[in-house]
Amino acid sequence: MQALDTQIDAIVRRVMEQLEQPKPSLNGSPQYRGVFASIDTAMDAVHLAQQRYYRISIAKRKAIIQAIRNVGIESAQKMAQMVVQETGMGRVADKVLKHLLVSEKTPGPEFLNPDAYVGDDGLMIEECAPFGTILSITPVTNPTATIINNTISMLSAGNTVFFAPHPGAIKSSLTMIDLINEAIENAGGPPNLIVSLSQASIETVGQLMTHPGIALLSVTGGTPVVDVALRSGKRAIGAAAGNPPVLVDDTADPEKAARDIVAGHSFDNNMPCTSEKEVVVTAGIADRLLEAFTHANALVLDPKLLPQLEAVTLNEKRNGPNRFYIGKNACAILSEMGIQADEELRTIVVEVDKDHPFARHEMMMPVLAVVRVKDFAEAVEVAVELEEGLHHSAIIHSSNIYHMSEFGKAINTTIFVKNAPSFAGLGWGGEGYTSFTIAGRTGEGMTTCRTFTRFRRCSLVGAFSAV
Ligand code: NAD
């Protein structure tokens, strides 16, 4: 114990010396708690915080998590505005809801129940222990709500976090980290439980992925960065891209299906990885569904205008989105095509065949591909093909429970929603907890504090049970 104290004192001295040096400042903006100029300084600070955090009581840990929830709720409006301003993507009102959802419904320490086995040979308990410092890589499409979500999950499990935010959302991300650290300190927790760097770059993220001070990687982003993390040699939890299809069969209520699909698909301008990205509809209901979209604040595009929409929204290779329009409002896309529309218009619906890039690729903008097929069997086949084995999310609108079950088995996704907008699967308007780090790629599914623990077994041999 004395050796440990001496070690801690040495680290404290080193960190304090470094903290006395001028702190990084982003263009004259305020300095951020937990934000450092170099990997070494940040790593020392977060490791010191980790040593202190190991010694904190469960009651204090719970108080810290509650403080993070509170600051997530209090700052929701301000942070949503800041993110939209900095990234130029998404809708403020929808981002406010995301902040509230993660603050309220991300599970906390109460989720970490130990397992106990009692018998003739005594007692064995298995407990959820922290890994240490986790590297959390976060996306530009959902920067600050992911930071709140992962902070609650990872700290609830007793870990500390080294955040690597997307450079396109650095100011908002560092502001969120600052607010959370302030809330933790006000709740009596140690400083620097979550840290980051003042400058974000792909190179430093690469160094962090293999840094010996990092115990576990958690990546929330596109498939390429998850692939890089999986090659790092460290254990990685990979929450990668999705291309969620929504299947509508002849037995669905077309008006309700259209309303739900537009609500889920256009939420935050289609940036959530879970949002409806394309509709596969059976022939018997297709025309009624397209008509219903016009009553659901969507514009059903005249097929003659498809080439113009493609020219604006696809990249030059036609194998993905024109990144400039990711997360933009539908009216901004239409305006580029010379069509005036209201800011409140939620999306542009367009009928295409199953091989069209709008159906094949994650567009992350309010453009909804509709693919017409002859019957339910073909709908399942096409939807499975479009999901491409990502194991992410899928939705069905149907009143036939056998169809629901058959599609659910065939598509095999982490999230499967029936007769509701996709966000019901995130616990908003649907039951259950939430997570914005959905590890379909590596199989953990909706991550919680349990995901960020290692299991430790403790065995006591001899009579123990009082029964
Ligand atoms: P992105 O892959 O461009 O970036 C994600 C993060 O990875 C950023 O912090 C970025 O700086 C970092 N990064 C990218 N390439 C890297 C590399 N080669 N080395 C090291 N770091 C690298 O994605 P984005 O545009 O920020 O976010 C959108 C993507 O994230 C979409 O594909 C979306 O589906 C996905 N996403 C998935 C989930 C999920 O839970 N499964 C949640 C949100 C977003």
Side-chain angles (χ1 to χ4, degrees):
M1 185 58 96
Q2 206 182 350
L4 182 63
D5 285 338
T6 317
Q7 250 179 354
I8 291 176
D9 287 341
I11 298 174
V12 173
R13 266 200 309 281
R14 207 163 131 206
V15 170
M16 292 317 290
E17 278 164 22
Q18 285 159 336
L19 290 178
E20 277 157 20
Q21 292 169 11
K23 274 197 186 172
S25 167
L26 290 177
N27 307 324
S29 57
Q31 293 167 359
Y32 305 99
R33 292 170 188 81
V35 176
F36 296 84
S38 75
I39 291 180
D40 286 348
T41 331
M43 204 63 85
D44 279 349
V46 75
H47 285 170
L48 173 62
Q50 181 72 67
Q51 291 305 325
R52 292 179 169 174
Y53 199 41
Y54 280 138
R55 295 160 170 226
I56 272 177
S57 67
I58 298 293
K60 177 70 84 184
R61 196 191 288 184
K62 286 183 176 167
I64 287 170
I65 298 302
Q66 188 56 50
I68 299 167
R69 294 189 196 284
N70 294 347
V71 76
I73 294 166
E74 286 154 17
S75 66
Q77 183 71 32
K78 166 185 152 171
M79 291 315 305
Q81 280 168 340
M82 192 185 283
V83 172
V84 171
Q85 195 174 28
E86 182 180 15
T87 64
M89 297 190 243
R91 287 178 177 262
V92 171
D94 294 350
K95 286 198 186 293
V96 170
L97 289 172
K98 284 181 170 183
H99 282 79
L100 298 180
L101 179 64
V102 289
S103 300
E104 288 167 1
K105 292 192 86 174
T106 304
E110 70 286 348
F111 218 66
L112 299 174
N113 291 322
D115 291 325
Y117 300 79
V118 186
D120 293 341
D121 289 329
L123 166 76
M124 187 276 279
I125 60 167
E126 243 169 8
E127 291 181 282
C128 301
F131 273 93
T133 301
I134 300 174
L135 175 65
S136 169
I137 299 172
T138 53
V140 70
T141 49
N142 191 27
T144 47
T146 304
I147 288 175
I148 298 171
N149 175 233
N150 281 355
T151 300
I152 293 176
S153 293
M154 294 170 185
L155 262 57
S156 289
N159 303 288
T160 50
V161 196
F162 199 129
F163 277 107
H166 192 288
I170 187 72
K171 183 169 170 254
S172 316
S173 302
L174 298 188
T175 304
M176 195 72 246
I177 288 168
D178 178 53
L179 289 172
I180 292 174
N181 274 319
E182 181 185 32
I184 292 171
E185 287 182 49
N186 288 343
N192 306 317
L193 282 184
I194 63 173
V195 299
S196 192
L197 297 172
S198 50
Q199 304 288 335
S201 79
I202 299 285
E203 292 69 38
T204 45
V205 183
Q207 289 170 34
L208 285 166
M209 279 188 191
T210 53
H211 196 288
I214 294 293
L216 176 70
L217 311 182
S218 169
V219 187
T220 317
T223 303
V225 60
V226 171
D227 286 342
V228 172
L230 289 172
R231 286 196 296 269
S232 70
K234 283 191 201 284
R235 178 163 176 224
I237 291 164
N243 190 34
V246 46
L247 191 161
V248 183
D249 75 11
D250 286 358
T251 69
D253 171 350
E255 294 291 333
K256 180 177 186 306
R259 278 196 307 275
D260 285 353
I261 292 168
V262 171
H265 155 84
S266 69
F267 185 67
D268 207 18
N269 284 340
N270 194 236
M271 287 195 294
C273 52
T274 45
S275 286
E276 293 84 344
K277 295 290 190 290
E278 64 279 334
V279 177
V280 182
V281 58
T282 50
I285 196 175
D287 288 336
R288 280 179 291 149
L289 183 70
L290 285 168
E291 171 66 22
F293 279 129
T294 66
H295 314 147
N297 209 0
L299 179 118
V300 178
L301 196 76
D302 180 341
K304 288 200 289 280
L305 296 175
L306 179 59
Q308 272 178 265
L309 182 64
E310 291 170 353
V312 173
T313 57
L314 289 175
N315 65 20
E316 279 178 9
K317 292 184 178 164
R318 290 175 58 90
N319 64 0
N322 171 354
R323 289 198 72 86
F324 180 78
Y325 284 99
I326 290 180
K328 294 285 189 294
N329 288 352
C331 67
I333 295 169
L334 289 167
S335 164
E336 194 59 29
M337 295 166 63
I339 300 170
Q340 292 309 307
D342 200 73
E343 281 275 331
E344 298 310 310
L345 180 77
R346 295 300 294 199
T347 193
I348 306 160
V349 175
V350 59
E351 190 171 346
V352 293
D353 65 55
K354 76 175 172 67
D355 293 317
H356 192 279
F358 289 164
R360 291 272 155 191
H361 301 289
E362 190 190 32
M363 292 294 287
M364 293 185 286
M365 63 181 76
V367 171
L368 179 62
V370 175
V371 178
R372 191 186 296 242
V373 293
K374 68 176 184 302
D375 56 19
F376 177 72
E378 189 185 354
V380 172
E381 197 179 306
V382 169
V384 168
E385 186 181 330
L386 294 176
E387 212 276 326
E388 286 189 327
L390 296 170
H391 300 300
H392 202 298
S393 302
I395 303 97
I396 184 168
H397 290 273
S398 171
S399 55
N400 181 329
I401 55 167
Y402 301 103
H403 282 185
M404 294 177 193
S405 173
E406 189 176 333
F407 182 44
K409 283 181 188 161
I411 197 98
N412 192 16
T413 46
T414 302
I415 298 177
F416 185 55
V417 177
K418 301 161 186 167
N419 295 327
S422 51
F423 45 67
L426 294 174
W428 182 38
E431 285 303 320
Y433 58 82
T434 203
S435 176
F436 281 6
T437 291
I438 301 146
R441 177 70 190 285
T442 47
E444 293 82 359
M446 296 279 284
T447 57
T448 67
C449 47
R450 244 182 126 75
T451 315
F452 302 106
T453 57
R454 38 193 292 272
F455 290 96
R456 290 180 54 183
R457 166 180 285 214
C458 186
S459 197
L460 173 69
V461 178
F464 181 83
S465 172
V467 178

